[in-house]
Amino acid sequence: MEATNDTTGDLFENDPVMREEQEHLSAIYSQLVSYRDELTQQLARDHEQAAADLVTMSEEIRPDFGGADETMETLAAIETLNAVIDAYNQYHDFNTDRLRKVLLLLRQPYFAKVRLKMRADRPARDVYIGAAGITDEHHIPLVVDWRNPIAETYYNQENGQTSYTVNGALRTVELELRRQFDIDRDKLRAYFDTSVAIEDSLLLNALRSHHSEKLKAITATIQREQNEVVRHADVPVLLVSGIAGSGKTSVMLQRIAYLLYQEHESLSADQVYLFSPNEVFERYIDGVLPSMGEANPRLYTWRDFVEEQGAGNRDDGANTPEASLDLLEERLPTAAIEDADVRSITVGDETLLPAAQIAGVVSRNLKFGIGPRFAALVGDELHDRLDRRLAGMAKNEVWQERMLGLDVEEQIRLLGTAANPADEEETAELTRAYVDQLFAQEAEAAIDQMAWLRLDRIGMRLLGAKTLSATELLYLRLLIAGRAGAGVRYVMIDEVQDYSAAQLRLLARFFAGAHFLLLGDPNQAIREGTASFEEIRRIFEASHGQVDVSRLLTSYRSSPEVTAVFSRLVNMGDDIKLASVRREGLAARREAFADETGLLAAVREIADEARVDEEGLTAIVAHDGNAAHRLSRQLDGTVSVLKRSESLPASGVVIVTLEMAKGLEFDHVVIPDADGDTYPDTALARRQLYTAVSRAMHRVTLLAVGELSPLLAE
């Protein structure tokens, strides 16, 4: 059954289901509005009351430490005050979280309903599913969160007998109805009753939409194979191979949201690391999790990661061979540490731990061999020495005078208070806080990151090389330190096929205590030397033991015409359904020109059309950076090259490199260099052209000077 906006009035008259569902929606929406108003007022009242109560209780405390009984009474009064503060905070957090859910649901109270017969002797009940869960004052669910176990019955897409898992126990139920809604706030635009995933009208309606400058959540249209990844058991490593347009990135973000919901008491977003292809992609996805009421995880590119680890001032190690890591492991146990390998711990101009002092500590512990025990013992002693050094500075008159000479604003900023010491002991305490602010954090990080050891010198001797890449340097540090990535619970790597075996081996070891989700498409490996999926599996089986493999085999992004072009470029295998679920669109344009003048005229015409199209984004995908900037100059700068520091626009036209286009999607993709020189008949060129074409949602244009690439022969 389907309803559409065009005939809403008639449908209310002629369709009792539409009328009934609108009445239910109106009632739920009214409750949500009521909850919003009540919670807003309650939070304001609680804030005022808490402030007043705390002032009163604070004034009633009379600190008295004159004797044991008086001290106990004073401490008890302070503890009572702290308990009241904690209670206020907990109640405030509860109401704030409930208000957040209400505000989220006011945009769309729910998107689906299932009618479930839980037991044969009881009537079926309706369960409404939304982006968040909310209950009424009697704790009866009005809307259940899409991540709630019972919502799995919707995503299973099986009418009749189906099941879901609660706390490890399988529950079997009868699904009598699976209904989807098109809702905007309190208006029901349409509903769809269906059990067939790929023909869902709601899905097709979502797919018809134009590109957005931000990726959107697919919560309402998750398909069964996608749901299997989102709700997969928590395993050490889940490797997902998905074809172009199968929703890998969206599924990854839904998976993060699912894990945050399932482990909300023990998992926070900053314990999840997400590795993405580039900064443009990061900004493209940064609104998805907030739209589901969750915070974003820690976002990294490979370059961000190596820079954070202090290895950003060198080759990033993307092309480092795995054999280099093997050599480091093999040769480190017999390596020696020379005097010149040790250096001082210095912050700014202040040497806190001289090299000679550190060399003595190193020498005493070399008997344990160069490895984690050695590093831990040296690190512990250096931390102790640093503490003694800072304590000595705190008693030094020079540093005390510097602290006392700060203006009041600086004292408050650095010390948290204005410095007015009553005696030498207070002066030393304030000076210690001052030198800690200046030096402690940076010096302690330097000790932990083994900055006291010239790893470059050691590594170059082990490898017989003149320099170390970031991958080699960080791997060597791991071999010696034996620990990293503390506190990180999950690591998600998107476009995993673009990483080398050495990069992945480093990440697997660095985050040895974390679980991994690896997503990619082997047919989109656009650089030489990256790891195959067989190598990826080998690396993570060695580091984490278990690797579960899932596949996403249905493409949703592109029109049938676009899909027909890129599906011919690679061998997908008999089990892959590379057929578009979209409706027919525009035929692919293929055109070769006698010279560059004709090609540029065609590109200008396309760009002019794109600039006046307010609903679509056209991307001119150049093979590399040189080609992109050359084309922009030839177009007199009328079309600019998208920079890594920029966000993807909602409409218009941009020039992007193939590498930057990874993971993104555009209404119209123009490939201006689709010739045989740029894309010859090689395996790598096939993957590159497949990647470029598959970025298009509705339309693809292939242009060349001379002849089109032989890969495009029909």
Side-chain angles (χ1 to χ4, degrees), residues 438-477:
L438 294 179
F439 305 116
Q441 185 174 356
E442 191 171 341
E444 287 169 359
I447 293 171
D448 291 340
Q449 292 191 357
M450 300 178 63
W452 43 272
L453 203 55
R454 297 183 187 273
L455 294 174
D456 269 309
R457 285 176 53 88
I458 299 169
M460 288 187 290
R461 290 200 303 271
L462 293 176
L463 296 177
K466 294 183 178 179
T467 59
L468 286 191
S469 71
T471 302
E472 292 163 338
L473 178 71
L474 296 179
Y475 197 77
L476 176 60
R477 193 167 75 194

Short mmCIF file of all heavy atoms in Angstrom, two decimals, residues 438-477:
data_model
loop_
_atom_site.label_atom_id
_atom_site.label_comp_id
_atom_site.label_asym_id
_atom_site.label_seq_id
_atom_site.Cartn_x
_atom_site.Cartn_y
_atom_site.Cartn_z
N LEU A 438 54.72 24.63 32.52
CA LEU A 438 55.66 24.95 31.46
C LEU A 438 56.27 23.70 30.81
O LEU A 438 56.50 23.67 29.60
CB LEU A 438 56.79 25.84 31.99
CG LEU A 438 56.41 27.26 32.45
CD1 LEU A 438 57.65 27.98 32.97
CD2 LEU A 438 55.79 28.05 31.30
N PHE A 439 56.55 22.68 31.64
CA PHE A 439 57.41 21.61 31.14
C PHE A 439 56.87 20.18 31.28
O PHE A 439 57.21 19.32 30.47
CB PHE A 439 58.77 21.65 31.88
CG PHE A 439 59.47 22.96 31.80
CD1 PHE A 439 59.70 23.71 32.95
CD2 PHE A 439 59.90 23.46 30.58
CE1 PHE A 439 60.36 24.93 32.88
CE2 PHE A 439 60.56 24.68 30.50
CZ PHE A 439 60.79 25.42 31.65
N ALA A 440 56.05 19.92 32.28
CA ALA A 440 55.75 18.53 32.64
C ALA A 440 55.10 17.74 31.51
O ALA A 440 55.56 16.64 31.16
CB ALA A 440 54.87 18.49 33.89
N GLN A 441 54.03 18.27 30.95
CA GLN A 441 53.29 17.50 29.95
C GLN A 441 54.15 17.16 28.74
O GLN A 441 54.19 16.01 28.29
CB GLN A 441 52.05 18.27 29.50
CG GLN A 441 51.17 17.48 28.54
CD GLN A 441 49.86 18.22 28.22
OE1 GLN A 441 49.58 19.27 28.76
NE2 GLN A 441 49.07 17.66 27.34
N GLU A 442 54.86 18.15 28.22
CA GLU A 442 55.69 17.92 27.03
C GLU A 442 56.84 16.97 27.34
O GLU A 442 57.18 16.10 26.54
CB GLU A 442 56.21 19.25 26.50
CG GLU A 442 56.84 19.14 25.12
CD GLU A 442 57.16 20.50 24.51
OE1 GLU A 442 56.58 21.51 24.97
OE2 GLU A 442 58.00 20.54 23.59
N ALA A 443 57.45 17.13 28.50
CA ALA A 443 58.58 16.27 28.86
C ALA A 443 58.14 14.83 29.10
O ALA A 443 58.81 13.87 28.68
CB ALA A 443 59.27 16.81 30.11
N GLU A 444 57.00 14.66 29.76
CA GLU A 444 56.49 13.30 30.00
C GLU A 444 56.13 12.62 28.69
O GLU A 444 56.39 11.42 28.50
CB GLU A 444 55.28 13.36 30.93
CG GLU A 444 55.65 13.67 32.38
CD GLU A 444 54.45 13.99 33.24
OE1 GLU A 444 53.32 13.99 32.70
OE2 GLU A 444 54.65 14.23 34.45
N ALA A 445 55.54 13.37 27.75
CA ALA A 445 55.23 12.80 26.44
C ALA A 445 56.50 12.41 25.70
O ALA A 445 56.56 11.37 25.03
CB ALA A 445 54.43 13.81 25.61
N ALA A 446 57.54 13.22 25.84
CA ALA A 446 58.82 12.91 25.19
C ALA A 446 59.41 11.62 25.74
O ALA A 446 59.97 10.79 25.00
CB ALA A 446 59.80 14.06 25.37
N ILE A 447 59.27 11.43 27.04
CA ILE A 447 59.76 10.17 27.64
C ILE A 447 58.95 8.99 27.12
O ILE A 447 59.50 7.96 26.71
CB ILE A 447 59.69 10.25 29.18
CG1 ILE A 447 60.68 11.29 29.70
CG2 ILE A 447 59.97 8.88 29.80
CD1 ILE A 447 60.53 11.60 31.18
N ASP A 448 57.63 9.14 27.13
CA ASP A 448 56.76 8.04 26.69
C ASP A 448 56.97 7.71 25.21
O ASP A 448 56.87 6.54 24.81
CB ASP A 448 55.29 8.40 26.93
CG ASP A 448 54.95 8.44 28.41
OD1 ASP A 448 55.70 7.85 29.21
OD2 ASP A 448 53.95 9.10 28.78
N GLN A 449 57.25 8.73 24.39
CA GLN A 449 57.46 8.50 22.96
C GLN A 449 58.92 8.18 22.65
O GLN A 449 59.31 8.13 21.49
CB GLN A 449 56.99 9.70 22.15
CG GLN A 449 55.48 9.90 22.17
CD GLN A 449 55.00 10.93 21.16
OE1 GLN A 449 55.78 11.56 20.47
NE2 GLN A 449 53.68 11.09 21.06
N MET A 450 59.70 7.96 23.70
CA MET A 450 61.11 7.56 23.56
C MET A 450 61.93 8.56 22.78
O MET A 450 62.82 8.20 22.00
CB MET A 450 61.20 6.16 22.92
CG MET A 450 60.51 5.09 23.72
SD MET A 450 60.58 3.46 22.95
CE MET A 450 62.33 3.20 22.95
N ALA A 451 61.64 9.85 22.99
CA ALA A 451 62.42 10.89 22.34
C ALA A 451 63.86 10.91 22.86
O ALA A 451 64.73 11.52 22.23
CB ALA A 451 61.76 12.25 22.55
N TRP A 452 64.12 10.23 23.99
CA TRP A 452 65.47 10.16 24.55
C TRP A 452 66.38 9.21 23.76
O TRP A 452 67.58 9.15 24.01
CB TRP A 452 65.40 9.71 26.01
CG TRP A 452 64.43 8.58 26.26
CD1 TRP A 452 63.10 8.70 26.53
CD2 TRP A 452 64.71 7.18 26.25
NE1 TRP A 452 62.53 7.46 26.69
CE2 TRP A 452 63.50 6.51 26.52
CE3 TRP A 452 65.86 6.42 26.04
CZ2 TRP A 452 63.40 5.12 26.59
CZ3 TRP A 452 65.78 5.04 26.11
CH2 TRP A 452 64.56 4.40 26.37
N LEU A 453 65.79 8.50 22.82
CA LEU A 453 66.56 7.56 22.00
C LEU A 453 66.47 7.98 20.55
O LEU A 453 65.38 8.22 20.03
CB LEU A 453 65.98 6.15 22.18
CG LEU A 453 66.89 4.95 21.90
CD1 LEU A 453 68.17 5.01 22.72
CD2 LEU A 453 66.14 3.65 22.18
N ARG A 454 67.60 8.10 19.88
CA ARG A 454 67.61 8.47 18.46
C ARG A 454 67.28 7.22 17.64
O ARG A 454 68.17 6.51 17.14
CB ARG A 454 68.97 9.05 18.07
CG ARG A 454 69.32 10.34 18.79
CD ARG A 454 70.66 10.89 18.30
NE ARG A 454 71.09 12.02 19.09
CZ ARG A 454 70.73 13.29 18.86
NH1 ARG A 454 69.92 13.57 17.86
NH2 ARG A 454 71.18 14.26 19.63
N LEU A 455 65.98 6.98 17.52
CA LEU A 455 65.53 5.78 16.82
C LEU A 455 65.96 5.78 15.36
O LEU A 455 66.19 4.72 14.76
CB LEU A 455 64.01 5.66 16.92
CG LEU A 455 63.45 5.42 18.33
CD1 LEU A 455 61.94 5.49 18.32
CD2 LEU A 455 63.92 4.08 18.87
N ASP A 456 66.06 6.98 14.78
CA ASP A 456 66.51 7.05 13.38
C ASP A 456 67.87 6.40 13.21
O ASP A 456 68.08 5.61 12.28
CB ASP A 456 66.58 8.52 12.93
CG ASP A 456 65.28 8.98 12.32
OD1 ASP A 456 64.78 8.29 11.42
OD2 ASP A 456 64.76 10.02 12.74
N ARG A 457 68.82 6.73 14.08
CA ARG A 457 70.18 6.17 13.96
C ARG A 457 70.15 4.66 14.09
O ARG A 457 70.78 3.94 13.30
CB ARG A 457 71.08 6.78 15.03
CG ARG A 457 71.53 8.21 14.79
CD ARG A 457 72.34 8.71 15.97
NE ARG A 457 73.45 7.80 16.30
CZ ARG A 457 74.66 7.86 15.76
NH1 ARG A 457 74.94 8.78 14.85
NH2 ARG A 457 75.60 7.01 16.14
N ILE A 458 69.39 4.18 15.08
CA ILE A 458 69.32 2.73 15.29
C ILE A 458 68.67 2.05 14.09
O ILE A 458 69.18 1.05 13.57
CB ILE A 458 68.54 2.42 16.58
CG1 ILE A 458 69.25 3.03 17.79
CG2 ILE A 458 68.35 0.92 16.76
CD1 ILE A 458 68.45 3.00 19.07
N GLY A 459 67.54 2.59 13.64
CA GLY A 459 66.82 2.00 12.52
C GLY A 459 67.62 2.01 11.23
O GLY A 459 67.58 1.04 10.46
N MET A 460 68.32 3.10 10.96
CA MET A 460 69.12 3.17 9.73
C MET A 460 70.23 2.13 9.74
O MET A 460 70.55 1.54 8.70
CB MET A 460 69.67 4.58 9.55
CG MET A 460 68.61 5.60 9.16
SD MET A 460 69.26 7.24 8.73
CE MET A 460 69.81 7.82 10.33
N ARG A 461 70.82 1.90 10.94
CA ARG A 461 71.85 0.85 11.01
C ARG A 461 71.23 -0.53 10.77
O ARG A 461 71.81 -1.38 10.09
CB ARG A 461 72.55 0.88 12.38
CG ARG A 461 73.43 2.09 12.60
CD ARG A 461 74.45 1.83 13.71
NE ARG A 461 73.84 1.47 14.98
CZ ARG A 461 73.46 2.35 15.91
NH1 ARG A 461 73.58 3.66 15.68
NH2 ARG A 461 72.94 1.93 17.05
N LEU A 462 70.06 -0.76 11.35
CA LEU A 462 69.42 -2.07 11.19
C LEU A 462 69.04 -2.35 9.74
O LEU A 462 69.14 -3.49 9.26
CB LEU A 462 68.16 -2.14 12.06
CG LEU A 462 68.37 -2.11 13.58
CD1 LEU A 462 67.03 -2.09 14.30
CD2 LEU A 462 69.20 -3.31 14.04
N LEU A 463 68.59 -1.31 9.02
CA LEU A 463 68.12 -1.50 7.65
C LEU A 463 69.19 -1.19 6.61
O LEU A 463 68.98 -1.46 5.42
CB LEU A 463 66.91 -0.60 7.39
CG LEU A 463 65.64 -0.89 8.21
CD1 LEU A 463 64.55 0.13 7.89
CD2 LEU A 463 65.13 -2.30 7.94
N GLY A 464 70.32 -0.62 7.06
CA GLY A 464 71.33 -0.21 6.09
C GLY A 464 70.80 0.87 5.17
O GLY A 464 71.11 0.90 3.97
N ALA A 465 69.98 1.78 5.73
CA ALA A 465 69.33 2.83 4.94
C ALA A 465 69.82 4.20 5.39
O ALA A 465 70.37 4.36 6.48
CB ALA A 465 67.82 2.73 5.09
N LYS A 466 69.59 5.19 4.54
CA LYS A 466 70.00 6.57 4.86
C LYS A 466 68.92 7.34 5.61
O LYS A 466 69.21 8.34 6.26
CB LYS A 466 70.37 7.30 3.57
CG LYS A 466 71.61 6.74 2.89
CD LYS A 466 71.96 7.55 1.65
CE LYS A 466 73.23 7.02 0.98
NZ LYS A 466 73.58 7.79 -0.24
N THR A 467 67.67 6.89 5.49
CA THR A 467 66.57 7.53 6.21
C THR A 467 65.56 6.47 6.62
O THR A 467 65.57 5.35 6.08
CB THR A 467 65.84 8.58 5.34
OG1 THR A 467 65.32 7.93 4.16
CG2 THR A 467 66.77 9.72 4.93
N LEU A 468 64.69 6.84 7.54
CA LEU A 468 63.57 5.97 7.93
C LEU A 468 62.27 6.65 7.55
O LEU A 468 62.11 7.86 7.75
CB LEU A 468 63.55 5.71 9.44
CG LEU A 468 64.58 4.78 10.06
CD1 LEU A 468 64.19 4.49 11.50
CD2 LEU A 468 64.73 3.51 9.29
N SER A 469 61.34 5.88 7.02
CA SER A 469 60.00 6.42 6.77
C SER A 469 59.23 6.45 8.08
O SER A 469 59.65 5.87 9.09
CB SER A 469 59.25 5.53 5.76
OG SER A 469 58.91 4.29 6.36
N ALA A 470 58.09 7.14 8.07
CA ALA A 470 57.25 7.19 9.27
C ALA A 470 56.82 5.80 9.70
O ALA A 470 56.80 5.47 10.89
CB ALA A 470 56.02 8.07 9.00
N THR A 471 56.48 4.95 8.73
CA THR A 471 56.05 3.58 9.06
C THR A 471 57.18 2.82 9.73
O THR A 471 56.96 2.13 10.75
CB THR A 471 55.60 2.85 7.79
OG1 THR A 471 54.54 3.58 7.17
CG2 THR A 471 55.09 1.45 8.11
N GLU A 472 58.39 2.92 9.21
CA GLU A 472 59.53 2.20 9.80
C GLU A 472 59.86 2.74 11.18
O GLU A 472 60.10 1.96 12.12
CB GLU A 472 60.74 2.34 8.87
CG GLU A 472 60.56 1.58 7.55
CD GLU A 472 61.53 2.02 6.47
OE1 GLU A 472 62.07 3.15 6.56
OE2 GLU A 472 61.75 1.24 5.52
N LEU A 473 59.85 4.06 11.33
CA LEU A 473 60.17 4.65 12.62
C LEU A 473 59.17 4.24 13.69
O LEU A 473 59.56 3.82 14.79
CB LEU A 473 60.20 6.17 12.50
CG LEU A 473 60.46 6.93 13.80
CD1 LEU A 473 61.91 6.76 14.24
CD2 LEU A 473 60.11 8.41 13.67
N LEU A 474 57.89 4.34 13.38
CA LEU A 474 56.86 4.01 14.38
C LEU A 474 56.84 2.52 14.69
O LEU A 474 56.58 2.12 15.83
CB LEU A 474 55.49 4.49 13.89
CG LEU A 474 55.34 6.01 13.73
CD1 LEU A 474 53.94 6.36 13.23
CD2 LEU A 474 55.63 6.73 15.03
N TYR A 475 57.14 1.70 13.69
CA TYR A 475 57.17 0.25 13.94
C TYR A 475 58.35 -0.10 14.84
O TYR A 475 58.22 -0.92 15.77
CB TYR A 475 57.25 -0.51 12.63
CG TYR A 475 56.87 -1.97 12.76
CD1 TYR A 475 55.54 -2.35 12.85
CD2 TYR A 475 57.84 -2.97 12.81
CE1 TYR A 475 55.17 -3.68 12.97
CE2 TYR A 475 57.49 -4.31 12.93
CZ TYR A 475 56.16 -4.66 13.02
OH TYR A 475 55.80 -5.98 13.14
N LEU A 476 59.50 0.53 14.59
CA LEU A 476 60.67 0.30 15.44
C LEU A 476 60.36 0.71 16.87
O LEU A 476 60.72 0.01 17.82
CB LEU A 476 61.87 1.07 14.89
CG LEU A 476 63.15 1.02 15.74
CD1 LEU A 476 63.64 -0.41 15.89
CD2 LEU A 476 64.24 1.90 15.12
N ARG A 477 59.71 1.86 17.03
CA ARG A 477 59.37 2.31 18.38
C ARG A 477 58.44 1.31 19.07
O ARG A 477 58.57 1.04 20.27
CB ARG A 477 58.72 3.69 18.31
CG ARG A 477 58.62 4.36 19.68
CD ARG A 477 58.28 5.83 19.54
NE ARG A 477 56.88 6.02 19.21
CZ ARG A 477 56.37 7.15 18.76
NH1 ARG A 477 57.16 8.19 18.55
NH2 ARG A 477 55.09 7.26 18.49
#
